Amino acid sequence: AREQPDQDALQGVGGSQLRRIPNPKGYQATEESQMPKPTFPSTLASFVLLFEMDDEWRTILEYVRINGEEPPKGGDDYPISYARMNMQPLVDKLRSADMIVRESISSDSEVMICRISISEKRQKQVAEVMGEDLMRLRLKKKDDYGNAIKNGGGWTGFKQQLAHLYEKSSEGSLFSSAQQCAMMEFMLNDVDEKAMGPQLLQKEACEPGNTPLTQLVHDLRIKGFFCLHHKKKIEWLQKNWVSNHMGKQPVEDIREYFGEETALFFIFLGYLVTMLWVPAAVGLLVGLMEIVYEIEDGSVDNPFIPLYAIYICMWSVQFVSGWKRVELAYQMEWGTVDLEPEEDTRTEFVQNPKTYKRLNDISKKEEYFPDPVWRGVFVVASFASVTLFCCFNVATTISCEILKSVTHRALGGEEWWMFIKVFGAMLQTGTIVLYRYLASLLFDSLTQAENWKTSQEYHTATVAKRMCFGFVNSYFALIFASFIMNELVLFGVDLACLNGSCIDYVEVMIAVMFTQQAIQKCVHKIVVPYLEKRRIESEAKEKADADDTIAVLEDQEIQMGLQTFEGWEDEYATKLIEIGYLMFFGADFPLLSLMLIIVTAIDIRVQANMLVSVKQRPPPTLAKDIGEWGTTLDVWAVSSILVQSCFIGYTTKALGIYIPNMTAADNLFAAVAIEHALLLFKIMWDSKFSDVPDEVQLAFERKNYERDVLLKNFDTEDFEKKVGFYTEDEGVMYYGKVQE
């Protein structure tokens, strides 16, 4: 006498965002609570394949729902589903490779979702095949009293006979969910036949540069694939990272779940916030002195500005040098000091019609090479485009200043000066945003046309274009206003600032530019994802209201609709531009350090929420440092010394308080002297404090020694390195010693 719940509602293992089940008639509990649905071990990660369904498939499922069985085959009315015929052989191959497959249907009956996992026994087999380059685990370590020391052991490759010696992941399993996803992708792409993967496609059937998974997507046999978030771990990260605004970041958990590259990005943001507290406090005091002097003398220029400019230069040197030490410390902690990841050839490079395959004279193997003429043409075109964009930007900046000065002359009077400053700053900010958008479109297309072979080469070319133009686009207007504009007359228009000082105008420009960038980031990273999330929830509620029986939105379906993660390039570029504002013009606007702390602290939580809730789970990426962005920081530190020295000599008049009656030649000499002294300081500081701390080096060497001693006591030699696999003339297979 009880209404049974629809069995389709019980499909899937993940938690539901929205679930409605008909209420039972009477007080007796439903069957679901009497006999709970069997749950899958939470320690197993899931990899998802998406198959598109057709009308015939949906007709069969509707028949099954009504009659409890499939329609009789062979009849004239039996619907033939080609989508189902495409999926079934692939699923059979997955199961034959000892992979666990669970199937569910999306709420709109448009997609069949195949959720794949592998058992712990299978994980150990695949991990050993992957080797130390692709699968590393940390060894256990105990203190003198037998207590486990978390993250205290060294790193090594996986061996099944040493399974009891490895430290478990924070998720409670030997292999973390990120490592399990890497194993499944390794099997699905048939990287090594020893892993005995499903062989969804023969390698010969894949186009050059495509993996079996990407080839299946290209052939429209699957709609897509992604790694599913680990439910319990993501809830832990949401509580202890995204929502924990005052606590430290769980760096080890971030590395374990997202990989070293993502962990280094958040370490960099945290390091920036830590290093900004002192300049923010000093800048706040200098800003208060500016207010006092403006009330008394009508100008923000004061004796503390040159001293603060020198301090910002020294802070820039210390910031960059300290980051290098942090990188080295984490390289030793994570065992990536000697990491030299093998660069895979880009798919776009292999499939480019301007790529040729020929014999390498050194390796004596066939390799892919770009057309040198084609690349040379586009490298020159890229250089010309960056130069041309820089020239256009300079011309537009000067034109905006002429328009501002003409408007000021037309309005007349000092009472309009504040309006004119804001008007000029808004013009320059609009120019920066417009050129940044146009340049990104052009430069990405040019980098793609240059046809770089590896991802590292492509990344280097992209960073070079972005940061060269970004320097001119973001900073030239401020440099022009600080050092050039006050002494310039163009087309009969005097561009000089009111009272012969442009410090207050530069302050307004920095405040407007920085605020605009923060607002733009807030809209892109917070408002847009929030609205998208509300849209998904609203659609799910409408489906639930339309279906009186049940409507389920499983984890895999929620994540299926999320955007894919596109890397950290845009975030690094934006953050380095913000740091550049402080390094180059921090003395012009002393409150900039405090603003940068606030923006970066918000950035950490926003980016964390994006990874946890807004984007599909990115594949874990191994990295030893932040790459070219570290080189850019070095350039920024040297440029900071040059720009701030010019600011002390030419923009601020406060130097005359210390040395009265200074001439133009004296100002030039003072700027050069300060610049040389600061460069000498940088050389001395880098030579003294760029190496890794002694205690970190000692701990690293101790870990490696303990690891080597431990492994030496076990038979870890690879049997297959000493023997070969042979076949007799009669076809009998046997192992024998490797013939030298």
Side-chain angles (χ1 to χ4, degrees), residues 14 42 44-48 115 171 177 181 226-235 237 257-258 555-556 558-559 562-563 608-618:
S42 61
L44 296 188
S46 296
F47 197 90
V48 177
R115 196 168 162 179
E171 298 164 8
S177 59
C181 287
F226 62 92
C227 187
L228 198 66
H229 276 296
H230 188 276
K231 184 175 179 60
K232 290 186 177 180
K233 188 65 177 182
I234 217 68
E235 290 174 352
L237 289 172
Y257 194 79
F258 294 108
D555 283 347
Q556 56 264 33
I558 297 172
Q559 297 177 36
L562 300 180
Q563 301 174 351
N609 182 67
M610 178 196 70
L611 281 178
V612 171
S613 305
V614 179
K615 300 285 187 179
Q616 288 182 358
R617 182 175 183 175

Side-chain angles (χ1 to χ4, degrees), residues 549-611:
T549 58
I550 192 165
V552 178
L553 203 59
E554 301 287 354
D555 283 347
Q556 56 264 33
E557 187 173 356
I558 297 172
Q559 297 177 36
M560 179 181 69
L562 300 180
Q563 301 174 351
T564 57
F565 179 71
E566 298 176 353
W568 296 112
E569 281 191 2
D570 290 339
E571 309 306 328
Y572 271 119
T574 302
K575 187 54 62 178
L576 261 66
I577 291 295
E578 293 173 357
I579 294 173
Y581 280 121
L582 174 62
M583 288 185 174
F584 304 150
F585 308 103
D588 291 79
F589 187 41
L591 297 181
L592 190 58
S593 301
L594 185 60
M595 293 178 64
L596 187 55
I597 282 183
I598 297 172
V599 170
T600 305
I602 295 174
D603 259 352
I604 292 175
R605 307 307 166 187
V606 170
Q607 299 294 348
N609 182 67
M610 178 196 70
L611 281 178

Side-chain angles (χ1 to χ4, degrees), residues 32-67:
E32 184 181 23
S33 60
Q34 289 183 5
M35 294 181 293
K37 176 182 55 177
T39 58
F40 212 74
S42 61
T43 56
L44 296 188
S46 296
F47 197 90
V48 177
L49 298 183
L50 305 175
F51 295 88
E52 194 164 3
M53 299 175 64
D54 54 15
D55 293 335
E56 291 77 12
W57 198 349
R58 283 186 284 271
T59 302
I60 295 174
L61 293 175
E62 181 66 18
Y63 187 94
V64 172
R65 190 185 69 83
I66 297 173
N67 300 288

